[in-house]
Amino acid sequence: MSTSHIHSNQNPSVALNHFGLETDFSFLGAECQPGEILDYLNPAVQNYVKHTLGREDHSDRSVAVTLYYKIRDGIFYEVFGTDISKDGLKASGIINAGRGFCLHKAILYAACCRAASVPCRVVASKVQNHITTPSLEKLVGGKVFLHWYNEVKVDGQWLKTAPVFNSLLCKLYKIEPLEFDGFSDAVHQPHTKGRSMEYLGEPTRFSNPKHSELVCLVQSQHPLMVTGKGSVPKEREFRAA
């Protein structure tokens, strides 16, 4: 499949590819369509993908891997004070902010893959052995986290990817970063003492995520993260509480 970049168009199912020719993406199904949150027709997302992939044609595997590292290391990982409003959880808003936690990164990765015609969806699952701090554990209510990642379709196979913890953060915590080669899953983030992130129970998949359902799921697992301000509490505010 050609992975030429697309550009904004009035019809969300029809876009212009890298050569200025109309391409209809509707036949690709739900996992490659733009949406309320996965707003990949927004110029900010279009430019982000264009600058990441360049003008050359990529295989689906190359797209998936290149975007993985761009988002893992290019979007600063932060939980406290991050924007989870409707605009803040749009892919375009995440690019403008330049930071976010696993939910933000999973949204951006899905949107960018779809912009390059690679099917991708957002997935949530409970995990343990998550990178954490005492303040973060107070915020989420313990050591079990709701973790967000992706499933991306490469050569007919759905692969799990989690472009979340950037290499600098891993270095600070003295753990190995999670690598992705485009051939096998990359979700078991290395942890301390030879352990890795452990996934608990069945995952929840989102082909066309809506802001309300994402926030509701976060609130159901970590109620202190969701406030009327549309953002996660700042660390200093949380400590003061």
Side-chain angles (χ1 to χ4, degrees), residues 19 22 29 34 47 68 71 78 81 102 131-132 136 140 142 144 153 162 170 200-201 205 209 214 234-236:
F19 302 103
E22 282 196 356
N47 290 333
Y68 175 90
I71 293 168
E78 181 62 82
C102 51
I131 293 176
T132 188
L136 189 55
V140 303
V144 175
K153 196 172 188 179
C170 292
L200 310 172
R205 295 177 173 86
L214 297 177
K234 294 181 179 180
E235 189 167 14
R236 65 174 181 271

Short mmCIF file of all heavy atoms in Angstrom, two decimals, residues 19 22 29 34 47 68 71 78 81 102 131-132 136 140 142 144 153 162 170 200-201 205 209 214 234-236:
data_model
loop_
_atom_site.label_atom_id
_atom_site.label_comp_id
_atom_site.label_asym_id
_atom_site.label_seq_id
_atom_site.Cartn_x
_atom_site.Cartn_y
_atom_site.Cartn_z
N PHE A 19 1.04 13.31 -4.13
CA PHE A 19 1.18 13.81 -5.50
C PHE A 19 0.01 14.69 -5.92
O PHE A 19 -0.13 15.03 -7.08
CB PHE A 19 1.31 12.63 -6.46
CG PHE A 19 2.48 11.73 -6.12
CD1 PHE A 19 2.29 10.52 -5.48
CD2 PHE A 19 3.78 12.12 -6.41
CE1 PHE A 19 3.36 9.71 -5.15
CE2 PHE A 19 4.85 11.32 -6.07
CZ PHE A 19 4.64 10.11 -5.44
N GLU A 22 -6.55 12.74 -5.67
CA GLU A 22 -7.54 12.33 -4.69
C GLU A 22 -7.45 10.83 -4.42
O GLU A 22 -7.33 10.02 -5.34
CB GLU A 22 -8.96 12.67 -5.16
CG GLU A 22 -9.31 14.13 -5.00
CD GLU A 22 -10.79 14.38 -5.10
OE1 GLU A 22 -11.54 13.42 -5.37
OE2 GLU A 22 -11.21 15.53 -4.91
N GLY A 29 -11.89 0.91 6.09
CA GLY A 29 -12.61 0.55 7.30
C GLY A 29 -12.37 1.50 8.45
O GLY A 29 -11.68 2.51 8.34
N PRO A 34 -10.60 9.26 9.77
CA PRO A 34 -10.45 10.38 10.70
C PRO A 34 -11.66 10.44 11.63
O PRO A 34 -12.70 9.85 11.34
CB PRO A 34 -10.40 11.60 9.77
CG PRO A 34 -11.20 11.18 8.58
CD PRO A 34 -10.93 9.70 8.40
N ASN A 47 1.24 18.08 8.87
CA ASN A 47 2.62 18.56 8.85
C ASN A 47 3.53 17.70 9.71
O ASN A 47 4.69 17.46 9.36
CB ASN A 47 2.67 20.02 9.33
CG ASN A 47 2.04 20.98 8.32
OD1 ASN A 47 2.02 20.71 7.13
ND2 ASN A 47 1.53 22.09 8.81
N TYR A 68 6.51 5.42 15.60
CA TYR A 68 6.67 4.94 16.97
C TYR A 68 7.78 5.72 17.69
O TYR A 68 7.58 6.25 18.79
CB TYR A 68 7.00 3.44 16.95
CG TYR A 68 7.31 2.86 18.32
CD1 TYR A 68 6.30 2.32 19.10
CD2 TYR A 68 8.62 2.85 18.81
CE1 TYR A 68 6.58 1.78 20.36
CE2 TYR A 68 8.91 2.31 20.06
CZ TYR A 68 7.89 1.78 20.83
OH TYR A 68 8.17 1.27 22.07
N ILE A 71 7.06 9.56 18.21
CA ILE A 71 6.13 9.88 19.30
C ILE A 71 6.67 9.45 20.65
O ILE A 71 6.53 10.17 21.64
CB ILE A 71 4.75 9.25 18.99
CG1 ILE A 71 4.14 9.95 17.78
CG2 ILE A 71 3.82 9.32 20.19
CD1 ILE A 71 2.94 9.26 17.18
N GLU A 78 4.32 13.13 30.46
CA GLU A 78 3.91 13.85 31.66
C GLU A 78 2.46 13.51 31.97
O GLU A 78 1.63 13.45 31.06
CB GLU A 78 4.07 15.36 31.45
CG GLU A 78 3.68 16.20 32.65
CD GLU A 78 4.52 15.93 33.88
OE1 GLU A 78 5.63 16.48 33.97
OE2 GLU A 78 4.06 15.14 34.73
N GLY A 81 -0.97 17.76 35.31
CA GLY A 81 -1.21 19.02 34.60
C GLY A 81 -1.51 18.91 33.12
O GLY A 81 -1.64 19.92 32.45
N CYS A 102 0.25 8.27 28.46
CA CYS A 102 0.05 7.20 27.49
C CYS A 102 -1.21 7.40 26.64
O CYS A 102 -1.20 7.03 25.45
CB CYS A 102 0.01 5.84 28.19
SG CYS A 102 -1.12 5.74 29.60
N ILE A 131 5.97 2.42 35.37
CA ILE A 131 6.87 3.45 35.89
C ILE A 131 6.06 4.41 36.76
O ILE A 131 5.02 4.91 36.33
CB ILE A 131 7.54 4.22 34.73
CG1 ILE A 131 8.49 3.30 33.96
CG2 ILE A 131 8.30 5.43 35.26
CD1 ILE A 131 9.12 3.95 32.75
N THR A 132 6.54 4.66 37.97
CA THR A 132 5.70 5.43 38.88
C THR A 132 6.53 6.20 39.90
O THR A 132 7.75 6.04 40.00
CB THR A 132 4.70 4.50 39.60
OG1 THR A 132 3.78 5.28 40.35
CG2 THR A 132 5.43 3.52 40.53
N LEU A 136 2.40 9.91 41.92
CA LEU A 136 1.59 9.32 40.85
C LEU A 136 0.71 8.20 41.40
O LEU A 136 -0.45 8.06 41.01
CB LEU A 136 2.49 8.82 39.73
CG LEU A 136 1.81 8.37 38.44
CD1 LEU A 136 0.92 9.47 37.88
CD2 LEU A 136 2.85 7.95 37.41
N VAL A 140 -3.41 7.97 41.09
CA VAL A 140 -4.17 6.89 40.45
C VAL A 140 -4.80 5.94 41.46
O VAL A 140 -5.63 5.10 41.08
CB VAL A 140 -3.28 6.09 39.46
CG1 VAL A 140 -2.68 7.01 38.42
CG2 VAL A 140 -2.20 5.31 40.19
N GLY A 142 -3.12 3.75 43.69
CA GLY A 142 -2.45 2.47 43.92
C GLY A 142 -1.39 2.16 42.88
O GLY A 142 -0.89 3.05 42.20
N VAL A 144 -1.88 -0.24 40.38
CA VAL A 144 -2.49 -0.72 39.14
C VAL A 144 -2.94 0.48 38.32
O VAL A 144 -3.70 1.32 38.81
CB VAL A 144 -3.68 -1.67 39.40
CG1 VAL A 144 -4.37 -2.05 38.10
CG2 VAL A 144 -3.19 -2.92 40.13
N LYS A 153 -1.80 -2.32 12.17
CA LYS A 153 -1.85 -3.42 11.21
C LYS A 153 -0.71 -3.30 10.21
O LYS A 153 -0.66 -2.36 9.42
CB LYS A 153 -3.19 -3.44 10.49
CG LYS A 153 -3.50 -4.74 9.77
CD LYS A 153 -4.92 -4.75 9.25
CE LYS A 153 -5.30 -6.11 8.70
NZ LYS A 153 -6.72 -6.13 8.20
N ALA A 162 3.43 0.39 22.14
CA ALA A 162 3.23 1.38 23.20
C ALA A 162 4.34 2.43 23.14
O ALA A 162 5.35 2.33 23.84
CB ALA A 162 3.22 0.70 24.56
N CYS A 170 13.48 6.73 30.61
CA CYS A 170 13.96 5.39 30.98
C CYS A 170 15.37 5.45 31.55
O CYS A 170 15.69 4.72 32.51
CB CYS A 170 13.91 4.47 29.77
SG CYS A 170 12.24 4.06 29.21
N LEU A 200 -3.20 -6.87 32.76
CA LEU A 200 -4.20 -7.56 33.57
C LEU A 200 -5.56 -7.52 32.89
O LEU A 200 -6.04 -6.46 32.50
CB LEU A 200 -4.31 -6.89 34.95
CG LEU A 200 -2.99 -6.66 35.70
CD1 LEU A 200 -3.24 -5.83 36.95
CD2 LEU A 200 -2.34 -8.00 36.06
N GLY A 201 -6.20 -8.66 32.75
CA GLY A 201 -7.55 -8.71 32.21
C GLY A 201 -7.62 -8.45 30.72
O GLY A 201 -6.60 -8.37 30.02
N ARG A 205 -10.85 -1.87 23.24
CA ARG A 205 -10.37 -1.32 21.98
C ARG A 205 -11.29 -0.21 21.48
O ARG A 205 -12.52 -0.31 21.61
CB ARG A 205 -10.26 -2.43 20.92
CG ARG A 205 -9.22 -3.49 21.25
CD ARG A 205 -9.18 -4.60 20.22
NE ARG A 205 -8.08 -5.52 20.44
CZ ARG A 205 -8.14 -6.56 21.25
NH1 ARG A 205 -9.28 -6.84 21.90
NH2 ARG A 205 -7.10 -7.35 21.40
N PRO A 209 -12.54 6.50 18.71
CA PRO A 209 -12.74 6.97 20.08
C PRO A 209 -13.39 8.35 20.15
O PRO A 209 -13.08 9.24 19.37
CB PRO A 209 -11.31 7.02 20.64
CG PRO A 209 -10.43 7.15 19.44
CD PRO A 209 -11.12 6.38 18.36
N LEU A 214 -13.52 8.12 26.39
CA LEU A 214 -12.15 8.01 26.88
C LEU A 214 -12.05 8.56 28.30
O LEU A 214 -11.48 7.93 29.19
CB LEU A 214 -11.19 8.76 25.96
CG LEU A 214 -11.08 8.26 24.52
CD1 LEU A 214 -10.14 9.15 23.73
CD2 LEU A 214 -10.61 6.82 24.47
N LYS A 234 -2.32 19.41 38.84
CA LYS A 234 -0.88 19.60 38.87
C LYS A 234 -0.32 18.90 40.11
O LYS A 234 -1.01 18.74 41.10
CB LYS A 234 -0.53 21.08 38.89
CG LYS A 234 -0.92 21.80 37.60
CD LYS A 234 -0.54 23.27 37.66
CE LYS A 234 -0.93 23.97 36.36
NZ LYS A 234 -0.58 25.41 36.38
N GLU A 235 0.92 18.53 40.03
CA GLU A 235 1.51 17.75 41.12
C GLU A 235 1.49 18.53 42.43
O GLU A 235 1.16 17.98 43.49
CB GLU A 235 2.94 17.31 40.78
CG GLU A 235 3.51 16.33 41.78
CD GLU A 235 4.77 15.65 41.29
OE1 GLU A 235 5.34 16.12 40.29
OE2 GLU A 235 5.19 14.66 41.91
N ARG A 236 1.80 19.82 42.36
CA ARG A 236 1.81 20.61 43.59
C ARG A 236 0.41 20.76 44.17
O ARG A 236 0.24 20.77 45.41
CB ARG A 236 2.44 21.97 43.33
CG ARG A 236 1.69 22.88 42.38
CD ARG A 236 2.34 24.26 42.31
NE ARG A 236 1.64 25.15 41.43
CZ ARG A 236 1.87 25.26 40.14
NH1 ARG A 236 2.83 24.53 39.58
NH2 ARG A 236 1.19 26.13 39.39
#
